[in-house]
Amino acid sequence: MIRSGVDIGGTFTDVIIFNDETGEIEIAKTPSTPANPAEGVIDGLTKVETGIGELEFFSHGSTVGTNALIERELPRIGLITTEGFRDVHEIRDATKDELWDAYKDVADPYVQRRDRLEVSERIDTDGNVVTPLDEETVREVTRIFKKRGIDTIAVSLINAYVNGEHEKRVAEIVEQEYPSAFVCTSHEILPEMFEHERTSTTIINAALVPVVREYLIDLSKKLSERDYNGDVLAMHSGGGVMTTEAIAYYAARIANSGPTAGAIASQYIAEQCGFENAIGFDMGGTSADVSLTFQGNIEMTDEWSVEYGYPIMFPSTDIETIGAGGGSIAWIDDGGSLRVGPKSQGADPGPACYLRGGDKPTTTDANVVLGWVNPDKFLGGDMDATADPAREVIERDIAEPLGLDLIEAASSIEQIAVANMCNAVRLVSTSKGYDPRDFALVAFGGAGPMHAAHVAKEMSIPKVIVPPYPGINSALGCLLVDVEHDLSQTFIANASGGVVDDIEDTFAEMESEIHGRLAKEGIDDEQMRMEYEVKMRYVGQWRSLEVTCSRPIDSIESIRERFHRQHEQTYAYSDEDQPVEIYGLHVTGKGVVEKPSFPEIDRGDSTNALQNTREAYFTEIGEYVDTAVYDRTALGSGATFDGPAIVEQMDSTVVIPPQMTAEVDETGNIIITV
């Protein structure tokens, strides 16, 4: 089978092609095309020798949904809600990201107040109808939306999570009155309590469907025109892939797909190198994404957001993202301090050294000045670049205003960028009870391997792993995933023995629905795997933890004991004398697909890979030093070399600072001992 994995990033679109029979790997990297993401995918696929018509498997991750939310490039949305609950979406949970900043407001709601319309109805918390649905009001509201040209409509009625009959009827009426409108109901999207979170998730999902559907239709069409006949699979934030038909309704699930693919690849690479605990460090042109794998399992979250205050309650890999990429702009704030990011030059115009009109200093420009990057070899020499503009913008915007020389300014930009990245690593590790010294750092992305050793040194992480193709690692992750669906259900009960039968019955219903979805996507029964989790909390708390279990459930006591241990890990305390309650149930169904097995590389020492030496600056030494430059494609397994050293390849550069050593393993990973 010939498989293709593609990652549509903010700056570059990455492609990997793997032939199962021959073990051959092809990679390509091309600038992303934000106005039409499908064009960047086709550009990348046409750069490799394998024709699109030869592909038998296509899976991709994308930032299309994320970028649409960030940039608010969304259709006008209407919300139908219960009378009296019109402002739930705008009130949120009344918190702020910057608690003490009186001048910083939370982002505007996705639906303006005039487009949030009420209908008379009421269902209580037991699912009983208190006030019947006023169907004439629903028809009137629908006519208003039609008159305003709003054809994307979210429906979120109070307590619909326990009884969705009123929402179903609203959707039927809208379809009768306004057939061309798209309707998204909360009881289908997120059947859980807490009206703000449910409403927010439903609105964001509804908003993204037209955006995602448009680019997926375009991508499918372009691939089909080039004789690709298989499914167009898309990575979702929970760590699996979905078909275009499923994504057409659950669009918000792919909003975090690109970083998730990178987290999966980092888990795979760490396992390949013998590490159960790993921190994934993905630094691209626009941002840095950091994830964590503990005891072989990627850390997950069931609440995340692109903009603070508007949560998306679909399961996702727990990823911290900061504005620290190769294109991050260095600038001086009003207090005269040097800052790096979060604004970025992105792919267009890019850093000054790209010669595309960029006129602001970036992290990449600093790396060029330090000698870490050879601009003549960007994208294997396919991109025109030069060091002169990098020197000019750093001298003009940073060095002269701060009274520094050029080298001091470039080194300062690098050190601040590393400090920013260390903060992201702390957010996924020390802030959650994990000791970074127990982990390996898996560095990837176009810029990750350049900075990873310095981040590891600062965080006392003993090993850094750089995979063979770090610049396309997220694309690799798209080859390593299963078709996956998950369901959650509110289920409130005391965690006592009498509740086991009810849990089993609910699990069975959820499993049946997931089984149907997977079967519809062509997954055979023997390929299906089910995973079960119970959401639990101490009575009186509102934060819950997901505790894994198996079916049939052996005992509620064993699940409760796991909850206490997990609570100790997460919050540094537990109390086994406190009563525990169940808050919800979660089932994940996977359609397991065969994973590629990558070949071992030939043995060889570093001598044949030595290209030349060049002057590079390292803060540890405080001056430029003659640094060995190696060609990664010529490095065999077992090769060792000492820092300072630079390893170059088409899609990235690996920097090994002084007093560190590196070794290449049998599958081509570079393992740096910090």
Side-chain angles (χ1 to χ4, degrees):
M1 177 179 285
I2 301 177
R3 309 168 188 263
S4 61
V6 177
D7 176 52
I8 306 173
T11 305
F12 291 104
T13 294
D14 305 324
V15 175
I16 182 170
I17 307 293
F18 181 73
N19 188 318
D20 284 343
E21 293 183 6
T22 66
E24 289 184 26
I25 295 173
E26 297 178 81
I27 64 171
K29 200 175 186 76
T30 188
S32 294
T33 51
N36 188 344
E39 287 185 6
V41 174
I42 300 301
D43 289 345
L45 289 172
T46 53
K47 279 190 171 185
V48 299
E49 291 185 10
T50 301
I52 293 176
E54 299 177 67
L55 301 177
E56 299 168 81
F57 177 91
F58 177 89
S59 174
H60 77 295
S62 169
T63 58
V64 171
T66 307
N67 292 340
L69 291 172
I70 292 172
E71 297 166 9
R72 293 295 180 107
E73 294 292 334
L74 302 167
R76 187 175 173 184
I77 313 154
L79 172 67
I80 298 177
T81 189
T82 304
E83 191 173 36
F85 292 87
R86 182 182 189 183
D87 295 317
V88 163
H89 179 49
E90 190 162 0
I91 294 171
R92 306 177 311 277
D93 59 3
T95 64
K96 295 177 65 175
D97 188 19
E98 299 290 342
L99 185 61
W100 306 110
D101 188 346
Y103 298 97
K104 183 177 180 180
D105 293 326
V106 176
D108 292 334
Y110 290 107
V111 185
Q112 299 306 307
R113 193 171 195 272
R114 68 189 303 265
D115 295 330
R116 304 195 296 263
L117 303 182
E118 301 175 340
V119 296
S120 176
E121 69 86 37
R122 192 59 186 263
I123 290 173
D124 66 18
T125 55
D126 293 323
N128 301 312
V129 176
V130 177
T131 303
L133 176 67
D134 186 340
E135 296 191 359
E136 185 52 42
T137 304
V138 178
R139 297 184 191 279
E140 177 60 27
V141 164
T142 304
R143 287 192 284 268
I144 292 173
F145 284 143
K146 188 174 182 179
K147 185 176 180 179
R148 293 177 181 176
I150 299 173
D151 59 3
T152 302
I153 301 171
V155 181
S156 183
L157 304 181
I158 195 68
N159 295 329
Y161 69 92
V162 72
N163 181 350
E165 291 305 314
H166 282 180
E167 286 194 346
K168 289 179 184 177
R169 184 57 186 148
V170 169
E172 290 171 357
I173 293 171
V174 173
E175 186 174 1
Q176 293 167 6
E177 298 289 329
Y178 195 1
S180 62
F182 171 75
V183 182
C184 188
T185 58
S186 74
H187 77 278
E188 291 182 287
I189 297 300
L190 187 73
E192 294 186 13
M193 64 187 297
F194 295 129
E195 57 268 23
H196 164 54
E197 287 81 354
R198 179 161 49 88
T199 301
S200 174
T201 304
T202 305
I203 287 171
I204 290 171
N205 190 80
L208 287 179
V209 165
V211 176
V212 170
R213 181 190 289 157
E214 182 179 347
Y215 109 80
L216 283 175
I217 290 173
D218 187 34
L219 177 58
S220 298
K221 180 182 177 182
K222 282 181 165 58
L223 289 170
S224 178
E225 289 172 349
R226 291 161 176 81
D227 299 323
Y228 174 71
N229 299 314
D231 289 327
V232 177
L233 300 175
M235 188 85 189
H236 65 72
S237 59
V241 288
M242 299 169 70
T243 61
T244 52
E245 291 79 7
I247 294 164
Y249 193 76
Y250 297 100
R253 287 184 174 270
I254 72 167
N256 206 27
S257 64
T260 294
I264 288 171
S266 66
Q267 175 202 35
Y268 171 82
I269 290 160
E271 182 181 25
Q272 194 179 50
C273 296
F275 294 94
E276 274 195 321
N277 299 339
I279 295 172
F281 175 60
D282 178 7
M283 182 180 178
T286 307
S287 62
D289 301 314
V290 184
S291 61
L292 185 138
T293 298
F294 180 66
Q295 294 182 351
N297 297 311
I298 298 174
E299 291 294 289
M300 305 290 291
T301 181
D302 58 4
E303 179 178 348
W304 56 285
S305 63
V306 173
E307 291 186 285
Y308 184 85
Y310 303 102
I312 300 173
M313 301 296 288
F314 291 140
S316 172
T317 50
D318 192 1
I319 294 172
E320 292 292 340
T321 300
I322 61 169
S328 293
I329 297 169
W331 53 286
I332 299 171
D333 66 16
D334 293 339
S337 297
L338 176 61
R339 302 292 185 94
V340 179
K343 291 185 178 179
S344 172
Q345 290 286 77
D348 186 14
C353 62
Y354 279 14
L355 299 178
R356 292 184 172 180
D359 62 349
K360 294 180 175 61
T362 66
T363 305
T364 295
D365 292 316
N367 298 149
V368 168
V369 170
L370 295 174
W372 296 4
V373 178
N374 183 353
D376 295 333
K377 293 194 174 181
F378 273 127
L379 293 188
D382 288 346
M383 177 183 285
D384 292 331
T386 182
D388 290 339
R391 297 188 185 100
E392 291 171 8
V393 294
I394 292 176
E395 184 75 46
R396 181 195 68 205
D397 292 355
I398 306 299
E400 289 183 3
L402 293 178
L404 304 173
D405 63 34
L406 176 63
I407 304 308
E408 289 175 329
S411 179
S412 297
I413 292 171
E414 165 63 18
Q415 290 177 67
I416 291 173
V418 168
N420 291 340
M421 297 172 219
C422 288
N423 286 336
V425 172
R426 291 185 183 98
L427 288 173
V428 302
S429 58
T430 53
S431 68
K432 296 181 179 179
Y434 297 107
D435 187 341
R437 293 173 295 184
D438 297 331
F439 290 77
L441 187 69
V442 182
F444 55 102
M450 202 180 316
H451 305 277
H454 286 105
V455 172
K457 182 180 179 181
E458 183 70 23
M459 296 298 299
S460 299
I461 297 172
K463 299 284 185 181
V464 175
I465 303 169
V466 183
Y469 309 102
I472 51 88
N473 209 56
S474 291
L476 169 63
C478 292
L479 299 183
L480 303 170
V481 293
D482 301 311
V483 178
E484 183 177 301
H485 289 276
D486 60 82
L487 288 175
S488 60
Q489 179 70 54
T490 296
F491 184 100
I492 299 176
N494 291 326
S496 59
V499 79
V500 170
D501 289 343
D502 292 335
I503 294 175
E504 287 280 11
D505 290 343
T506 306
F507 272 152
E509 293 175 7
M510 298 166 74
E511 181 179 321
S512 176
E513 182 173 343
I514 291 176
H515 187 283
R517 292 187 187 182
L518 292 173
K520 189 177 180 180
E521 294 181 327
I523 303 299
D524 297 330
D525 286 358
E526 59 269 20
Q527 295 175 275
M528 296 185 191
R529 305 287 185 274
M530 298 291 170
E531 298 174 356
Y532 310 91
E533 292 176 314
V534 180
K535 296 182 180 180
M536 307 177 78
R537 60 191 179 189
Y538 289 118
V539 173
Q541 288 187 331
W542 68 274
R543 293 187 184 276
S544 61
L545 294 174
E546 293 192 351
V547 181
T548 59
C549 68
S550 58
R551 290 190 65 202
I553 295 173
D554 49 3
S555 71
I556 198 69
E557 288 77 18
S558 62
I559 298 176
R560 195 167 59 231
E561 175 58 31
R562 286 198 292 275
F563 165 76
H564 289 306
R565 292 199 303 268
Q566 196 167 324
H567 203 280
E568 179 74 30
Q569 165 72 44
T570 305
Y571 299 113
Y573 81 94
S574 63
D575 188 347
E576 297 189 14
D577 294 329
Q578 286 293 322
V580 178
E581 71 175 355
I582 298 169
Y583 159 65
L585 304 177
H586 183 227
V587 179
T588 301
K590 295 183 179 181
V592 179
V593 299
E594 187 180 353
K595 309 296 189 300
S597 178
F598 298 104
E600 295 184 1
I601 64 172
D602 295 333
R603 290 191 63 81
D605 58 32
S606 58
T607 305
N608 295 333
L610 182 62
Q611 298 182 97
N612 51 48
T613 62
R614 71 165 175 261
E615 293 287 297
Y617 184 91
F618 292 90
T619 305
E620 298 92 330
I621 300 174
E623 60 183 5
Y624 280 97
V625 293
D626 206 28
T627 303
V629 180
Y630 297 93
D631 176 6
R632 182 156 194 186
T633 60
L635 283 172
S637 67
T640 60
F641 42 94
D642 298 326
I646 293 172
V647 182
E648 293 181 334
Q649 63 190 109
M650 186 274 285
D651 61 339
S652 73
T653 298
V654 186
V655 174
I656 298 97
Q659 301 177 345
M660 296 188 191
T661 60
E663 180 178 4
V664 182
D665 73 4
E666 61 273 9
T667 55
N669 299 295
I670 295 177
I671 302 177
I672 303 170
T673 300
V674 179

